[in-house]
Amino acid sequence: MSSITLETHADRSKMEVSDEVAIEIRGMNKWYGAFHVLRDIDLTVYQGERIVIAGPSGSGKSTLIRCINRLEEHQEGQIIVDGTELTSDLKNVDKVRSEVGMVFQHFNLFPHLTILENCTLAPIWVRKTPRKEAEEIAMHFLEKVKIPEQAHKYPGMLSGGQQQRVAIARSLCMRPRIMLFDEPTSALDPEMIKEVLETMVELAEEGMTMLCVTHEMGFAKEVANRVIFMDAGQIVEQNEPEEFFNNPQNERTKLFLSQIL
Amino acid sequence: MSDLSYVRAEMLPERAPPASQVGFVGWARQNLFNGVGNSILTVLSLIFIWYVVSFLLSWAFSPTWNSASLSECREIFGAESGHHAACWGVINDRWQQLLFGFYPNGSEEGTSDLRWRPILAFLLLFVAVTPVLFNMISRRMNWVLLCAVLGLTSLYLGGALGIVVGLALIAAGAAIGYKALTADKTARAAEIEAGAKRLPNPLIFSAIYPFIAPWLLWGGSLWLPIGAALGFVIGYFVFRFLAPIAGSLVGMIVAVLVALVWWLLLTVGFADLMQSIIPIGLEPVESRDFGGFMLSITIGVVAIACSLPIGIVLALGRQSDLLIVKALCVGFIEFIRGVPLITLLFVASTLLNIFMPPGTNFDIILRVLIMVTLFAAAYMAEVIRGGLAALPRGQYEAADALGLDYWKAQRLIIMPQALKISIPGIVSTFIGVFKDTVLVSIIGLLDPLGLSNAIRADQAWNGVVWELYGFIALLFFIFCFSMSRYSMYLERRLRTDHR
Ligand SMILES: Nc1ncnc2c1ncn2[C@@H]1O[C@H](COP(=O)(O)OP(=O)(O)O)[C@@H](O)[C@H]1O
Ligand SMILES: [Mg+2]
């Protein structure tokens, strides 16, 4: 499955993990109706960590990271993001959401706005950044993802890979401390997967805290400092990538890896 | 076996398509005469069209414009000989009535011709809607338009003051327009960048138009529309004051309540008081004098303009998580959609009076306006709900993930897209509402159809049918067709994919 090899080798020396906690999940449970989708999740993410979450389809990976910015609500346990606990208090939810960026499988760009407007919308309306400044920030990040020349086009005119890079830039414009990726490359052609992964590698090299749900095991080996394997709503195994790939412990992990690699 | 390998030595140049495929001949062959069956159908259709058109033309081209009665018409085109032709004299005689109903035209003793007021309201309507409808019209041209309309009106009203004001306005308009023609766009943009004053946004006028128009139509004290507008200002400040203290929902509710109290209890007193201090006003016109297209347009425009925002609110309410809000919206929409408009109009014309405290005079046109608006809003809500349902869930999630709250997400992300998807449905509803305004003739209002009956009751025009209906149909067609063309323009303008 993972046929993409990254050309540039990620420079791991720059990726430092501090001992400051970014996300703390304790005894978290979630149900969809009567369906117990996440079971007793305990997870601590430190600032600067790059975590790859893998697992079979339907194992609850998306649900887990969507709980972190409260796109989904959990019913039991605690989720604390950057010191703010996610409760039904909308103020906390808004605070967490403005600090956590999210990139979706299907990009979810706003098709009625230009690329630049996509990027400036949230800074202007949520952060109250003056328009000019917001545009400068947006251009800065569009340059970073290497598509400043598309700024005045609409999302519908861009290729999938370009759209996903815009989506990353759009999240970065809010200056998030944590980035969540939900299968950012699974809707893309191989050629485009590479350009998106390279953007993500760069982001990791700058020390961004990242949680990625992905099947790109090349990316996991290159960038991640921890791989989490989920099955049936539980964290089944987590380890450093080297150990995880070469020496998996759990039977399900072994089965999964034998299928995917 | 032959050798399978082949290498092209030179690329083929592009050739023009064969003559039978292009131009008129090609088009006709492809679309009209491809095959025997189609050719026969084409010829038959052409014969039929020719038959209908020649009949219509010989009917329509009849030299009866100046005749004073149907019998005079018959003499002119010789009905005895079996010839049928239009009797246009009725339109010549009554077109003003078809347009204005019995709006004072100075024909009666002691009245003056007030028809400039609805005409001005109509022209100002265009000035007010252009900045909303078209983004290619610059603010400058909009102010030029406004100056021109007001200036010409002032000149028409005459008197020394009228002429001076009119000339001044036209001169101002010309000055603003001259700058637009001479100033280089980029130079102007640079000036503005450097801090030069911009003309005020023409949307300001669009915002005050809803208060000016009724005043022009019904007349009376100017302080009444000002009082009505003050209600919004008061509500706004209450909201601004309360929202940070008590939250936006409480602020909103209290603001609406305060505004309602102002409108229902205090506005009239305020207007009377101010009128006694500084009397400014226009000669009042009774609602029963309203009629003709003026009435249709008034009802149509109000219903169209109000049903869209109400429909949006209802559609959002129907999707709300708040059970009571949702139940109210669903109940309202289903009730209104389940009842014919005529029933609602009858309620407006008769039943409402029973529930009113005796002695209250609740204007009949106002009652009809409310009913038609509510009716249109219920349909609008469903059309917009369709647009909302068509939006992928990812759009909501992306808006949430960026930290936009509900209202901002609705305003910036969801509604622009949902409305865009719903444009065809929205415009269909608009057109339907506009045409439904003729139903008010059933409760005795003199819309064009009501007037056509009244005109036929006249001895001179007894028996004229097609000419009147044709004229009315033509005017309705102009309005409805423009709306339909506008919606196509808008869809093209808002298309953002694959340009
Ligand atoms: N909104 C929902 N309502 C009910 N069930 C859901 C919903 N979203 C996901 N599920 C179910 O929850 C399980 C986990 O889903 P998901 O987190 O999307 O898995 P993954 O991302 O690992 O493929 C799946 O069985 C899925 O069918
Ligand atoms: Mg998933």
Side-chain angles (χ1 to χ4, degrees), chain B residues 273-307:
Chain B
L273 178 70
M274 292 307 289
Q275 183 70 5
S276 63
I277 302 172
I278 316 169
I280 318 175
L282 288 170
E283 195 178 311
V285 176
E286 296 278 334
S287 277
R288 65 180 139 79
D289 293 337
F290 278 50
F293 265 93
M294 197 194 100
L295 181 64
S296 301
I297 294 173
T298 307
I299 299 175
V301 167
V302 171
I304 284 174
C306 299
S307 64

Short mmCIF file of all heavy atoms in Angstrom, two decimals, chain B residues 273-307:
data_model
loop_
_atom_site.label_atom_id
_atom_site.label_comp_id
_atom_site.label_asym_id
_atom_site.label_seq_id
_atom_site.Cartn_x
_atom_site.Cartn_y
_atom_site.Cartn_z
N LEU B 273 -46.15 63.82 17.93
CA LEU B 273 -45.46 64.87 18.67
C LEU B 273 -44.53 65.65 17.75
O LEU B 273 -44.58 66.88 17.66
CB LEU B 273 -44.67 64.24 19.83
CG LEU B 273 -43.87 65.22 20.68
CD1 LEU B 273 -44.82 66.08 21.50
CD2 LEU B 273 -42.89 64.48 21.57
N MET B 274 -43.68 64.91 17.02
CA MET B 274 -42.72 65.57 16.15
C MET B 274 -43.44 66.34 15.05
O MET B 274 -43.02 67.43 14.67
CB MET B 274 -41.77 64.54 15.52
CG MET B 274 -40.83 63.87 16.50
SD MET B 274 -39.87 65.03 17.49
CE MET B 274 -38.75 65.67 16.26
N GLN B 275 -44.52 65.77 14.55
CA GLN B 275 -45.28 66.42 13.48
C GLN B 275 -45.83 67.76 13.97
O GLN B 275 -45.87 68.72 13.22
CB GLN B 275 -46.42 65.50 13.02
CG GLN B 275 -47.24 66.04 11.87
CD GLN B 275 -46.45 66.03 10.55
OE1 GLN B 275 -45.33 65.55 10.49
NE2 GLN B 275 -47.04 66.61 9.53
N SER B 276 -46.22 67.79 15.26
CA SER B 276 -46.78 69.05 15.76
C SER B 276 -45.67 70.07 15.97
O SER B 276 -45.91 71.27 15.93
CB SER B 276 -47.54 68.80 17.06
OG SER B 276 -46.65 68.34 18.03
N ILE B 277 -44.45 69.60 16.18
CA ILE B 277 -43.34 70.55 16.35
C ILE B 277 -42.80 70.95 14.97
O ILE B 277 -42.76 72.13 14.63
CB ILE B 277 -42.20 69.91 17.18
CG1 ILE B 277 -42.74 69.48 18.55
CG2 ILE B 277 -41.07 70.92 17.35
CD1 ILE B 277 -41.74 68.67 19.35
N ILE B 278 -42.38 69.97 14.21
CA ILE B 278 -41.87 70.26 12.86
C ILE B 278 -42.71 69.50 11.86
O ILE B 278 -42.48 68.32 11.63
CB ILE B 278 -40.41 69.78 12.71
CG1 ILE B 278 -39.60 70.17 13.95
CG2 ILE B 278 -39.78 70.35 11.44
CD1 ILE B 278 -38.25 69.50 13.98
N PRO B 279 -43.72 70.11 11.29
CA PRO B 279 -44.57 69.36 10.36
C PRO B 279 -43.90 69.17 9.00
O PRO B 279 -43.63 70.14 8.30
CB PRO B 279 -45.83 70.22 10.26
CG PRO B 279 -45.44 71.59 10.71
CD PRO B 279 -44.15 71.51 11.45
N ILE B 280 -43.59 67.92 8.69
CA ILE B 280 -43.16 67.58 7.33
C ILE B 280 -44.01 66.41 6.90
O ILE B 280 -44.17 65.45 7.66
CB ILE B 280 -41.70 67.09 7.26
CG1 ILE B 280 -40.80 67.93 8.16
CG2 ILE B 280 -41.20 67.10 5.83
CD1 ILE B 280 -39.39 67.41 8.20
N GLY B 281 -44.53 66.46 5.72
CA GLY B 281 -45.34 65.32 5.30
C GLY B 281 -45.79 65.45 3.87
O GLY B 281 -45.61 66.48 3.22
N LEU B 282 -46.36 64.36 3.38
CA LEU B 282 -46.94 64.35 2.04
C LEU B 282 -48.44 64.15 2.21
O LEU B 282 -48.90 63.60 3.21
CB LEU B 282 -46.36 63.19 1.23
CG LEU B 282 -44.92 63.31 0.76
CD1 LEU B 282 -44.46 61.99 0.19
CD2 LEU B 282 -44.78 64.42 -0.26
N GLU B 283 -49.17 64.56 1.20
CA GLU B 283 -50.62 64.37 1.22
C GLU B 283 -50.92 62.87 1.33
O GLU B 283 -50.41 62.07 0.54
CB GLU B 283 -51.19 64.89 -0.10
CG GLU B 283 -52.66 65.08 -0.09
CD GLU B 283 -53.09 65.64 -1.42
OE1 GLU B 283 -52.47 66.64 -1.87
OE2 GLU B 283 -54.02 65.09 -2.00
N PRO B 284 -51.71 62.46 2.33
CA PRO B 284 -51.97 61.03 2.49
C PRO B 284 -52.85 60.46 1.36
O PRO B 284 -53.70 61.19 0.82
CB PRO B 284 -52.69 60.93 3.83
CG PRO B 284 -52.91 62.31 4.30
CD PRO B 284 -52.36 63.28 3.33
N VAL B 285 -52.62 59.21 1.03
CA VAL B 285 -53.45 58.53 0.04
C VAL B 285 -54.01 57.28 0.69
O VAL B 285 -53.29 56.54 1.37
CB VAL B 285 -52.61 58.15 -1.20
CG1 VAL B 285 -53.44 57.36 -2.20
CG2 VAL B 285 -52.02 59.38 -1.85
N GLU B 286 -55.31 57.07 0.50
CA GLU B 286 -55.97 55.91 1.12
C GLU B 286 -55.58 54.61 0.42
O GLU B 286 -55.36 54.59 -0.79
CB GLU B 286 -57.49 56.07 0.99
CG GLU B 286 -58.06 57.24 1.72
CD GLU B 286 -58.26 56.93 3.19
OE1 GLU B 286 -58.43 55.73 3.51
OE2 GLU B 286 -58.22 57.87 4.01
N SER B 287 -55.56 53.54 1.20
CA SER B 287 -55.23 52.24 0.61
C SER B 287 -56.22 51.83 -0.46
O SER B 287 -55.88 51.14 -1.41
CB SER B 287 -55.21 51.18 1.70
OG SER B 287 -53.98 51.18 2.35
N ARG B 288 -57.49 52.25 -0.31
CA ARG B 288 -58.46 51.79 -1.31
C ARG B 288 -58.25 52.45 -2.67
O ARG B 288 -58.83 52.01 -3.66
CB ARG B 288 -59.89 51.98 -0.81
CG ARG B 288 -60.30 53.42 -0.61
CD ARG B 288 -61.73 53.48 -0.11
NE ARG B 288 -61.89 54.50 0.92
CZ ARG B 288 -62.00 55.79 0.65
NH1 ARG B 288 -62.00 56.22 -0.59
NH2 ARG B 288 -62.13 56.66 1.63
N ASP B 289 -57.44 53.51 -2.71
CA ASP B 289 -57.14 54.11 -4.01
C ASP B 289 -56.00 53.39 -4.74
O ASP B 289 -55.75 53.64 -5.90
CB ASP B 289 -56.73 55.58 -3.83
CG ASP B 289 -57.90 56.42 -3.34
OD1 ASP B 289 -59.04 55.97 -3.57
OD2 ASP B 289 -57.66 57.47 -2.74
N PHE B 290 -55.33 52.51 -4.02
CA PHE B 290 -54.24 51.77 -4.64
C PHE B 290 -54.81 50.77 -5.63
O PHE B 290 -55.87 50.20 -5.41
CB PHE B 290 -53.45 50.98 -3.59
CG PHE B 290 -52.43 51.81 -2.87
CD1 PHE B 290 -52.78 53.02 -2.32
CD2 PHE B 290 -51.13 51.37 -2.73
CE1 PHE B 290 -51.86 53.79 -1.64
CE2 PHE B 290 -50.19 52.13 -2.05
CZ PHE B 290 -50.56 53.34 -1.51
N GLY B 291 -54.09 50.55 -6.72
CA GLY B 291 -54.58 49.55 -7.66
C GLY B 291 -53.63 49.37 -8.81
O GLY B 291 -52.56 49.99 -8.87
N GLY B 292 -53.99 48.51 -9.73
CA GLY B 292 -53.20 48.30 -10.93
C GLY B 292 -51.85 47.69 -10.64
O GLY B 292 -51.64 47.07 -9.59
N PHE B 293 -50.94 47.90 -11.56
CA PHE B 293 -49.62 47.28 -11.40
C PHE B 293 -48.87 47.82 -10.21
O PHE B 293 -48.05 47.13 -9.61
CB PHE B 293 -48.80 47.46 -12.68
CG PHE B 293 -48.93 46.28 -13.54
CD1 PHE B 293 -49.89 46.24 -14.52
CD2 PHE B 293 -48.15 45.17 -13.33
CE1 PHE B 293 -50.06 45.13 -15.29
CE2 PHE B 293 -48.32 44.04 -14.09
CZ PHE B 293 -49.28 44.02 -15.09
N MET B 294 -49.19 49.08 -9.88
CA MET B 294 -48.56 49.65 -8.71
C MET B 294 -48.82 48.75 -7.50
O MET B 294 -47.92 48.46 -6.70
CB MET B 294 -49.19 51.01 -8.49
CG MET B 294 -48.47 51.92 -7.61
SD MET B 294 -49.64 53.21 -7.22
CE MET B 294 -50.15 52.67 -5.64
N LEU B 295 -50.05 48.28 -7.37
CA LEU B 295 -50.40 47.42 -6.24
C LEU B 295 -49.69 46.07 -6.34
O LEU B 295 -49.11 45.58 -5.36
CB LEU B 295 -51.92 47.21 -6.21
CG LEU B 295 -52.45 46.35 -5.06
CD1 LEU B 295 -52.17 47.01 -3.73
CD2 LEU B 295 -53.95 46.13 -5.23
N SER B 296 -49.70 45.49 -7.56
CA SER B 296 -49.02 44.20 -7.74
C SER B 296 -47.55 44.31 -7.37
O SER B 296 -47.00 43.44 -6.69
CB SER B 296 -49.12 43.74 -9.19
OG SER B 296 -50.44 43.61 -9.56
N ILE B 297 -46.93 45.39 -7.86
CA ILE B 297 -45.49 45.53 -7.61
C ILE B 297 -45.24 45.76 -6.13
O ILE B 297 -44.30 45.20 -5.55
CB ILE B 297 -44.92 46.68 -8.47
CG1 ILE B 297 -45.00 46.29 -9.94
CG2 ILE B 297 -43.48 46.96 -8.08
CD1 ILE B 297 -44.64 47.40 -10.88
N THR B 298 -46.08 46.58 -5.50
CA THR B 298 -45.90 46.82 -4.07
C THR B 298 -45.95 45.50 -3.30
O THR B 298 -45.04 45.17 -2.52
CB THR B 298 -46.99 47.76 -3.54
OG1 THR B 298 -47.01 48.92 -4.35
CG2 THR B 298 -46.72 48.14 -2.10
N ILE B 299 -47.02 44.75 -3.53
CA ILE B 299 -47.16 43.48 -2.80
C ILE B 299 -46.02 42.54 -3.16
O ILE B 299 -45.40 41.93 -2.30
CB ILE B 299 -48.52 42.83 -3.10
CG1 ILE B 299 -49.65 43.75 -2.66
CG2 ILE B 299 -48.64 41.48 -2.39
CD1 ILE B 299 -51.02 43.24 -3.02
N GLY B 300 -45.75 42.46 -4.47
CA GLY B 300 -44.71 41.53 -4.92
C GLY B 300 -43.35 41.86 -4.32
O GLY B 300 -42.66 40.98 -3.80
N VAL B 301 -42.97 43.13 -4.38
CA VAL B 301 -41.63 43.51 -3.91
C VAL B 301 -41.51 43.29 -2.41
O VAL B 301 -40.51 42.73 -1.92
CB VAL B 301 -41.33 44.98 -4.26
CG1 VAL B 301 -40.12 45.48 -3.51
CG2 VAL B 301 -41.12 45.13 -5.75
N VAL B 302 -42.54 43.68 -1.65
CA VAL B 302 -42.46 43.48 -0.20
C VAL B 302 -42.38 42.00 0.12
O VAL B 302 -41.55 41.56 0.93
CB VAL B 302 -43.68 44.13 0.51
CG1 VAL B 302 -43.70 43.73 1.97
CG2 VAL B 302 -43.61 45.63 0.36
N ALA B 303 -43.24 41.20 -0.53
CA ALA B 303 -43.25 39.77 -0.23
C ALA B 303 -41.91 39.14 -0.59
O ALA B 303 -41.36 38.34 0.16
CB ALA B 303 -44.38 39.07 -0.98
N ILE B 304 -41.36 39.54 -1.73
CA ILE B 304 -40.08 38.98 -2.16
C ILE B 304 -38.97 39.38 -1.20
O ILE B 304 -38.19 38.55 -0.74
CB ILE B 304 -39.76 39.45 -3.60
CG1 ILE B 304 -40.61 38.67 -4.59
CG2 ILE B 304 -38.29 39.29 -3.91
CD1 ILE B 304 -40.49 39.15 -6.01
N ALA B 305 -38.95 40.68 -0.86
CA ALA B 305 -37.85 41.17 -0.03
C ALA B 305 -37.91 40.60 1.39
O ALA B 305 -36.88 40.33 1.99
CB ALA B 305 -37.85 42.69 0.02
N CYS B 306 -39.12 40.42 1.91
CA CYS B 306 -39.22 39.93 3.29
C CYS B 306 -39.19 38.42 3.39
O CYS B 306 -38.77 37.86 4.40
CB CYS B 306 -40.49 40.45 3.95
SG CYS B 306 -40.57 42.23 4.04
N SER B 307 -39.67 37.74 2.34
CA SER B 307 -39.77 36.29 2.47
C SER B 307 -38.40 35.62 2.50
O SER B 307 -38.23 34.58 3.13
CB SER B 307 -40.61 35.70 1.34
OG SER B 307 -39.98 35.91 0.11
#
